[in-house]
Amino acid sequence: MKALEIKHIYKEYKLENKTKFQALNDVSVSFDKGELVSIIGESGSGKSTLMNLIGGLDTDYDGEILIEGKSLKSFKDKQLDDYRKKKIGFVFQSFNLIPHLSILDNVTIPLTLSDVKESEKNEKAKIILKKLGLENQIKKKPTQLSGGQKQRVAIARALINDPDIILADEPTGSLDSQTTAQILEILKEIADEGKLVIMVTHSEKVASVSSRIVKIADGQIIEDKMNQNYVSSTKDQQIIEEQNLNKKKKEKHLSFLSALKLSVHNMWASRTKNFLMALGVSISLVSMILMLAFGAGLTNYINDLAQSYTNPKIVTVTKSSTGFMDFFTPQTFTEDDITQVTNDINDYLNNENIETEFRVNQSEIKFGYSTYILSGQATIQVDETSEEINITSLTTTPYYYTEEQLLVGKISGSAETVSETGEKIGEVIFNSKIVGELGLENIEDAIGKTVIVKIKDYNIEKKMKITGIIDSSMTSQILAIYIDYDYLKSLTEEQGKILSPTSLYIETDSESTTNLINSYLNTSDKYSVSMENQMANMFSEMMSTFSFALAVIAGISLLVAMIMIMVVLYMSVSERTREIGVLKSIGARKKDIKKIFTTESFLVGLFSEIVGVICSGIVGAIFIIIFKALIGFAPLTFYWYYFATAIGLSVLISVLAGLYPASKAAKLDPVESLRHE
Ligand code: ADP
Ligand code: MG
C-alpha cells in the first residue's frame, strides 16, 4: 500500500462570471514514504492546487485521494482537522510564521492546538530547533530572523507533530542560492528519516536534488521520473514504525488557557489599539457606574433629608397642593376640614384589612403653620434703629422639627417670658443662618439675643428672645424662623385676625401606624404629607426619572462600546486572515479559531472592566472630594452591585461583540486565507 495515492483528480475553480477554470485535469500519481518528490511546473500550472488538495485544505474536487488506503473524501470534519494536524506538515514560500509569537511558540503551536503540556512541547521543540541550528533563536520574534532562518522555523513547526507527509510549496522561492541549498539538505534529511516530502518548485536546479521529479503543465502530469543520481540514506524501517506507534494518544484540543495565552500575545502585539479600545469601553463603564451612583446618591440624600425632618411617631397632614405656587401659599384647614380629616383617617383605619388599634382623636390633633414668605412680608430688626432683615420661612413649633435638629438652646413651649428690663418677650427659634445675619462668631452667642419680629400680614411687631438654633439643611440657604403655634395664634388674635393651620400633627402609637397613615395620605388626592415631605417626594420622583434617564444614557454608551469592540475585532480578523489560514493548515478546528477570537474579546472586556472599575473608584473619589468641598456632602452612593453589574455587562457585551467576528474568522476558507496578502 502506498503512503499517498492520487486517482483521477479533477479540480475546477468557479469564476465570478459563472465560467469555470479547470486547474487539475485527470491527475493520477502515487508516492511512497522516504521519497523526496519535486513537483515542477510553470506558474499557474496547478501545483499549489494539488498541494492544497493533498493537505486537506481544499475538499472540493472529483476523484480520490487515498492516505494509506483511506479516502480523504470519507473523512469527517473532525478527522480532516486531525489529519492536517497529525499527518501533514505544511511549509510555505512566505514562511507564514505568526508574527506576534516567539520562535518557540511558533514551533509549538500545533502541539498547543492538541493541548500538550508546556514542558513536553517545549522540550520537543527545542530538540527539533537544535537539529535545525536554531537553538539560540528561540526567544526571538520572526521579524528578527533572516529568510533562511524563518524557513527553518517553519520546517520545525511542520515537523513538531511528527507527520508522515511534509508538503512544501516553493519552500526556497524566497531564498538565495546558499540558503536554498541548506533548506534542501534539511528536506532531504527529513525524507531520509522515512517521511514523504513533496516539494513544489519551478526551478530545475532545485528539483535536481530530489529523488523523483513530477512535471506538471496546464493541470496535467506530463512527466514523472526517478532521479538516478539521488543517494538516500534511508534509516531502519523499524524506527519509522516506532515513531508511528507514539502517535496513538488520546486526542485533546486547544485549552482555554492556551487560547488565553495566544490572545494575550496577540493583544500585546497590538497593545496601543487594544488599550484605546479598552479605554473606550471603560469610559462607558465609568460613566455607567458614576451615573448610577449619582442617581442613588441624590435619591438617598433627599430621602434622608425628608427623614431627618420627621418625628417617626408624628403624622403631618397638609391639604393637597394644586400647583407649584401652593408651596409658597399653602392651603389652610377650617374646623370642618379637621373633622373631615379625622373621619377620613379613621375610616381608612377601620378598614378590615388594616390591623391597628390606633384611632385619631380629634381633640389631640395639634395645629401647625408653615409658610414661605414673599420678600418684605416678614422681617426682623435687632433694634428700632437697625436695618430690617428679610425672613423667608415661618414655621410653628414644636411638632414639626425634632430635638436632634436643635443645635443649641431649646424648643420651648409658648410661655411668654419676662426680660431683665421687665418687658414681656416671646420666644423664637432661628436656623443657623441667623448667626451670619447678626454678625456673630458662634451659634451659642445667638441664644438670649432679642430681635423685633415683624409679620406684615398679621400686623405683628413683637420683641422676641432667641431660645434655640435649628439645623435644617433644606432651608440652610434662607433665613427661617420657628415660633410656637399657640403663641403665634395669640399674637394674630391680638390683631383681630385668625391664624388657620396649614398642617395638622397627629401623634400615633408607633412608627408603623405613622407609615400606615402616611401611605394613605400619599395615595389620597385630598391630603398630603408635610410640605417638606411633599417636596422630598417630588424630588425623589424627579430623581427616579433622572436616574432612569442616566441609566438609559449609560446603556447607550455601553452599546457604543460594544459596536466599537465589534469593529476592532472585525478589523483584526481581516488583518489576521493569513494567520487564520496558517492555523487551519496546521490543524486548528473551527472551534479553536472561534475560541481564540472569543477569548480575545473576553480579555478585552476583562481588561476594560479592570480599568473601568479602577477609574470609577478614582473618579468617584475625586467627585466626592470636590462635592464635599463645594457643598459639604457628596451625592454619590456606590453599591457593590453597580460594580458587579458593570463587570457582568462588560464581559457580556465584549463576548457578544466578539461572536460575529469570531465566527467569521472560523468560517474563512483556509486556501483563500493563505493566498491573502
Ligand atoms: P501554481 O502552479 O502556480 O501553484 P495554482 O495551483 O496556484 O498554480 O493555480 C492553478 C491555476 O488555477 C491558475 O491558473 C490560477 O489562476 C487558478 N486558480 C488558483 N486558485 C484559484 C481560485 N481560488 N479561483 C480561481 N482560479 C484559481
Ligand atoms: Mg503556487
Side-chain angles (χ1 to χ4, degrees):
M1 189 170 50
K2 297 279 188 182
L4 174 63
E5 261 180 285
I6 292 166
K7 289 182 174 170
H8 307 292
I9 289 289
Y10 296 84
K11 165 72 194 177
E12 54 184 26
Y13 287 112
K14 292 174 186 67
L15 301 178
E16 266 159 37
N17 46 4
K18 284 191 179 165
T19 56
K20 288 167 184 171
F21 178 80
Q22 197 71 36
L24 291 178
N25 196 357
D26 194 15
V27 172
S28 294
V29 63
S30 44
F31 305 104
D32 258 331
K33 282 181 181 173
E35 281 191 289
L36 174 60
V37 184
S38 276
I39 296 186
I40 185 165
E42 303 270 297
S43 176
S45 54
K47 306 178 299 285
S48 295
T49 303
L50 183 63
M51 296 293 260
N52 291 336
L53 293 180
I54 297 172
L57 288 176
D58 186 353
T59 51
D60 178 27
Y61 59 91
D62 287 319
E64 286 282 14
I65 298 173
L66 302 174
I67 306 294
E68 286 165 354
K70 267 185 256 146
S71 168
L72 264 193
K73 280 219 159 132
S74 70
F75 282 19
K76 297 200 181 70
D77 277 358
K78 190 176 163 303
Q79 284 169 300
L80 205 63
D81 290 333
D82 234 40
Y83 166 72
R84 281 201 296 263
K85 202 193 300 186
K86 297 289 172 64
K87 297 272 182 181
I88 300 286
F90 268 103
V91 178
F92 306 91
Q93 174 179 352
S94 50
F95 325 123
N96 281 340
L97 300 177
I98 297 173
H100 53 82
L101 295 183
S102 70
I103 298 311
L104 187 66
D105 288 340
N106 259 290
V107 173
T108 56
I109 191 130
L111 297 178
T112 307
L113 291 173
S114 300
D115 196 23
V116 174
K117 263 203 319 211
E118 192 79 18
S119 56
E120 192 182 327
K121 67 184 184 192
N122 286 349
E123 199 185 328
K124 231 173 162 179
K126 278 177 192 163
I127 293 170
I128 295 172
L129 282 167
K130 190 162 184 218
K131 255 196 200 163
L132 296 173
L134 291 166
E135 67 267 39
N136 296 324
Q137 318 291 336
I138 60 172
K139 287 206 175 108
K140 288 187 181 167
K141 290 275 161 74
T143 47
Q144 294 166 309
L145 299 187
S146 70
Q149 285 173 318
K150 279 188 221 175
Q151 198 57 299
R152 278 184 277 158
V153 175
I155 293 173
R157 179 178 65 190
L159 287 175
I160 191 94
N161 252 328
D162 198 15
D164 296 335
I165 303 170
I166 298 284
L167 299 175
D169 196 347
E170 309 213 27
T172 59
S174 308
L175 303 176
D176 58 48
S177 58
Q178 201 189 336
T179 352
T180 295
Q182 286 172 9
I183 295 296
L184 291 176
E185 184 54 36
I186 292 166
L187 291 174
K188 180 174 181 300
E189 273 173 34
I190 295 167
D192 286 349
E193 279 173 24
K195 294 188 193 306
L196 167 58
V197 179
I198 305 176
M199 168 174 75
V200 163
T201 180
H202 52 253
S203 149
E204 294 277 357
K205 199 173 159 226
V206 169
S208 66
V209 302
S210 51
S211 68
R212 179 176 168 188
I213 299 167
V214 176
K215 275 199 179 147
I216 186 166
D218 296 330
Q220 284 182 311
I221 293 179
I222 52 167
E223 196 185 313
D224 184 353
K225 65 165 194 233
M226 291 305 198
N227 183 354
Q228 304 307 326
N229 303 327
Y230 186 80
V231 190
S232 165
S233 54
T234 307
K235 285 193 183 160
D236 209 320
Q237 195 61 27
Q238 211 178 336
I239 298 172
I240 298 163
E241 295 304 323
E242 267 173 30
Q243 281 173 349
N244 283 343
L245 274 178
N246 281 336
K247 287 191 224 167
K248 300 269 180 273
K249 271 190 194 158
K250 192 172 165 268
E251 190 47 37
K252 285 205 259 173
H253 296 292
L254 180 70
S255 67
F256 174 69
L257 217 65
S258 302
L260 209 63
K261 206 182 137 195
L262 285 176
S263 306
V264 168
H265 273 294
N266 182 59
M267 285 180 69
W268 179 249
S270 36
R271 52 192 172 276
T272 315
K273 182 186 81 182
N274 283 310
F275 179 75
L276 288 176
M277 171 164 75
L279 197 68
V281 178
S282 66
I283 286 172
S284 65
L285 284 183
V286 171
S287 60
M288 191 181 108
I289 294 177
L290 287 181
M291 282 178 186
L292 289 171
F294 194 55
L298 274 181
T299 311
N300 285 349
Y301 172 71
I302 285 163
N303 286 344
D304 282 355
L305 212 59
Q307 205 82 85
S308 71
Y309 283 122
T310 43
N311 183 329
K313 278 168 80 175
I314 301 286
V315 173
T316 310
V317 190
T318 59
K319 278 193 163 178
S320 273
S321 50
T322 47
F324 186 68
M325 280 312 283
D326 289 354
F327 281 125
F328 300 97
T329 52
Q331 300 178 43
T332 54
F333 287 94
T334 62
E335 290 288 329
D336 287 349
D337 286 339
I338 295 162
T339 316
Q340 190 64 48
V341 170
T342 315
N343 293 341
D344 285 346
I345 294 177
N346 283 340
D347 282 351
Y348 172 73
L349 294 177
N350 283 332
N351 183 321
E352 55 194 290
N353 295 325
I354 292 172
E355 282 176 34
T356 174
E357 294 294 306
F358 181 79
R359 295 295 173 268
V360 179
N361 189 339
Q362 196 172 332
S363 64
E364 285 172 5
I365 292 180
K366 295 272 191 328
F367 306 129
Y369 179 84
S370 174
T371 188
Y372 285 88
I373 298 160
L374 298 176
S375 179
Q377 290 299 298
T379 54
I380 54 160
Q381 255 182 317
V382 179
D383 55 55
E384 278 80 0
T385 59
S386 68
E387 256 180 59
E388 295 190 358
I389 303 167
N390 277 326
I391 292 165
T392 317
S393 156
L394 167 61
T395 310
T396 56
T397 55
Y399 269 101
Y400 204 80
Y401 292 92
T402 56
E403 289 283 346
E404 287 95 73
Q405 286 177 265
L406 195 68
L407 294 174
V408 286
K410 63 182 174 61
I411 297 176
S412 67
S414 67
E416 236 179 317
T417 51
V418 179
S419 75
E420 294 91 53
T421 56
E423 308 168 78
K424 279 194 167 182
I425 45 179
E427 291 167 356
V428 64
I429 292 170
F430 277 88
N431 68 347
S432 47
K433 185 92 173 163
I434 189 65
V435 180
E437 294 290 349
L438 297 184
L440 303 173
E441 297 250 312
N442 301 309
I443 306 176
E444 288 79 8
D445 298 344
I447 304 297
K449 283 250 178 315
T450 306
V451 289
I452 306 162
V453 176
K454 298 180 180 177
I455 306 169
K456 302 242 159 74
D457 270 356
Y458 295 107
N459 289 331
I460 293 170
E461 183 169 339
K462 196 81 182 169
K463 273 192 177 174
M464 292 186 198
K465 193 168 156 185
I466 302 174
T467 57
I469 302 292
I470 264 176
D471 161 46
S472 65
S473 12
M474 211 157 183
T475 55
S476 64
Q477 298 307 311
I478 58 172
L479 185 60
I481 66 169
Y482 308 87
I483 301 174
D484 177 74
Y485 182 83
D486 293 333
Y487 177 52
L488 188 63
K489 195 171 183 216
S490 71
L491 289 180
T492 58
E493 277 164 4
E494 271 174 29
Q495 302 301 322
K497 299 203 170 195
I498 299 162
L499 179 70
S500 303
T502 59
S503 33
L504 307 179
Y505 300 110
I506 301 164
E507 189 163 6
T508 70
D509 58 346
S510 68
E511 199 175 330
S512 62
T513 310
T514 306
N515 290 340
L516 209 58
I517 300 176
N518 272 336
S519 68
Y520 164 70
L521 295 174
N522 272 326
T523 53
S524 141
D525 41 352
K526 276 201 275 182
Y527 312 114
S528 302
V529 285
S530 72
M531 207 161 74
E532 271 79 359
N533 270 335
Q534 272 183 56
M535 276 174 94
N537 283 346
M538 191 181 76
F539 275 121
S540 53
E541 244 169 67
M542 270 165 56
M543 279 319 302
S544 56
T545 317
F546 182 56
S547 307
F548 181 73
L550 290 181
V552 169
I553 294 168
I556 292 172
S557 71
L558 272 186
L559 198 71
V560 171
M562 179 168 162
I563 293 171
M564 190 166 66
I565 298 179
M566 197 139 68
V567 169
V568 171
L569 285 174
Y570 197 83
M571 274 163 45
S572 159
V573 170
S574 320
E575 269 167 32
R576 291 161 69 191
T577 302
R578 227 190 149 84
E579 181 185 328
I580 294 163
V582 175
L583 286 171
K584 287 200 166 171
S585 75
I586 58 180
R589 302 168 306 158
K590 277 185 183 167
K591 265 189 195 166
D592 299 330
I593 305 280
K594 235 183 212 169
K595 213 184 237 175
I596 292 170
F597 278 88
T598 30
T599 312
E600 215 164 296
S601 55
F602 168 77
L603 271 187
V604 169
L606 197 74
F607 183 64
S608 312
E609 83 204 10
I610 292 171
V611 176
V613 165
I614 293 172
C615 288
S616 307
I618 295 170
V619 177
I622 293 172
F623 269 133
I624 289 175
I625 292 167
I626 292 175
F627 272 121
K628 285 220 163 123
L630 287 181
I631 55 173
F633 72 97
L636 285 163
T637 307
F638 290 95
Y639 291 114
W640 66 267
Y641 53 82
Y642 291 167
F643 291 97
T645 313
I647 288 171
L649 274 180
S650 75
V651 169
L652 190 73
I653 60 157
S654 55
V655 170
L656 280 182
L659 285 182
Y660 176 61
S663 86
K664 187 191 171 228
K667 282 190 194 132
L668 283 180
D669 178 67
V671 177
E672 269 169 38
S673 320
L674 283 170
R675 273 174 199 272
H676 190 87
E677 290 308 315

